[in-house]
Amino acid sequence: RHRAAGHRTFLDARQHPGADFAERYPVISAFCKMAGIDPAHDPIPIRPAVHYHMGGIAVDGFGRSTVQGLWACGEAARTGLHGANRLASNSLMEAIVCARWVAESIEGVSAGPRTMLRDDAMPPASDPSVVRPILTQGLGVLRDRDGIARAIRSLYPLARNHGAASDPALVGLMIAVAAIRREESRGGHFRTDFPHTTLSAAPSSLTRAEALAAARDIVETSIPARSARS
């Protein structure tokens, strides 16, 4: 809220740990010094963040997706091992455990004939630079329906134009549609207009087609109807 009002936020480590900062946190200290900041004497500029996406590619117990020849595990997958928070240590554990299941599953499948893609068949490299500010504004730490809907209206045309931003926009659009549907606050998802957590924790799933259809409905309802011509 403070940052949304145009202010800056800082972490003050000058007293604790103070002079021992570089020794206790050498990597963070090195990054700070690259930016001209000495944590022992200067407040560190920060921005709040959470894991905004607790989902992933839907897979079965062997890591197989619905796309033939595609397996997924770790943070890329939706195995059901995560709840409303995706914690780094849980993701590491999931990758280590599920990777073995995936490897065993792949080992038992015949490779079959290989098809080489031509260079001109490769899609353009993704560019998320246009998408990032949209997600920052509408799907940050604090969310509400109006902000999420604005993000959807901005992301929808980007996701459909088959450009460099279309894939990042599609991922963001799926996050946004899932967020606008979940009218509660749970884990990393906090709605200021729905601050309470419902009694039952209900997981949800969303396909690409469902996300695009829901986004289209939101976009169309925001367009004022044209007056009838005589």
Side-chain angles (χ1 to χ4, degrees):
R1 291 195 183 99
H2 197 69
R3 290 179 62 86
H7 304 292
R8 301 177 68 192
T9 50
F10 299 87
L11 173 65
D12 191 350
R14 293 174 293 182
Q15 295 295 323
H16 304 285
D20 296 332
F21 190 97
E23 182 179 351
R24 295 183 61 179
Y25 307 104
V27 176
I28 299 175
S29 180
F31 276 112
C32 287
K33 289 184 177 179
M34 288 172 60
I37 299 168
D38 182 356
H41 301 92
D42 307 315
I44 307 170
I46 60 169
R47 67 173 63 187
V50 296
H51 278 101
Y52 301 106
H53 183 208
M54 264 58 79
I57 301 169
V59 295
D60 63 12
F62 298 97
R64 295 175 298 199
S65 74
T66 56
V67 178
Q68 185 176 2
L70 177 64
W71 286 258
C73 68
E75 290 204 353
R78 180 185 184 272
T79 59
L81 297 179
H82 284 274
N85 279 312
R86 181 175 280 280
L87 306 179
S89 54
N90 288 356
S91 295
L92 180 61
M93 182 78 67
E94 180 183 354
I96 293 172
V97 173
C98 296
R100 179 171 181 174
W101 301 342
V102 169
E104 292 172 350
S105 177
I106 293 174
E107 189 178 26
V109 176
S110 174
R114 296 184 179 181
T115 302
M116 301 300 294
L117 293 176
R118 305 187 312 271
D119 289 343
D120 59 357
M122 297 298 293
S126 294
D127 181 7
S129 60
V130 178
V131 176
R132 284 173 179 154
I134 300 173
L135 298 182
T136 298
Q137 290 295 321
L139 289 156
V141 176
L142 303 180
R143 304 169 174 179
D144 59 49
R145 181 175 181 82
D146 291 342
I148 301 171
R150 283 194 300 271
I152 289 174
R153 289 192 289 270
S154 298
L155 292 167
Y156 181 67
L158 292 173
R160 298 182 68 237
N161 69 3
H162 305 292
S166 59
D167 282 348
L170 179 59
V171 174
L173 190 68
M174 296 185 77
I175 296 173
V177 171
I180 206 167
R181 287 180 170 182
R182 186 167 287 277
E183 296 182 336
E184 64 163 340
S185 291
R186 184 180 295 275
H189 171 68
F190 185 83
R191 290 276 299 262
T192 57
D193 48 349
F194 292 97
H196 302 294
T197 301
T198 58
L199 294 178
S200 61
S204 63
S205 61
L206 184 68
T207 66
R208 174 181 180 272
E210 290 170 345
L212 289 171
R216 183 182 63 248
D217 291 342
I218 292 172
V219 170
E220 290 178 350
T221 56
S222 68
I223 300 174
R226 295 181 179 179
S227 57
R229 294 182 179 179
S230 58

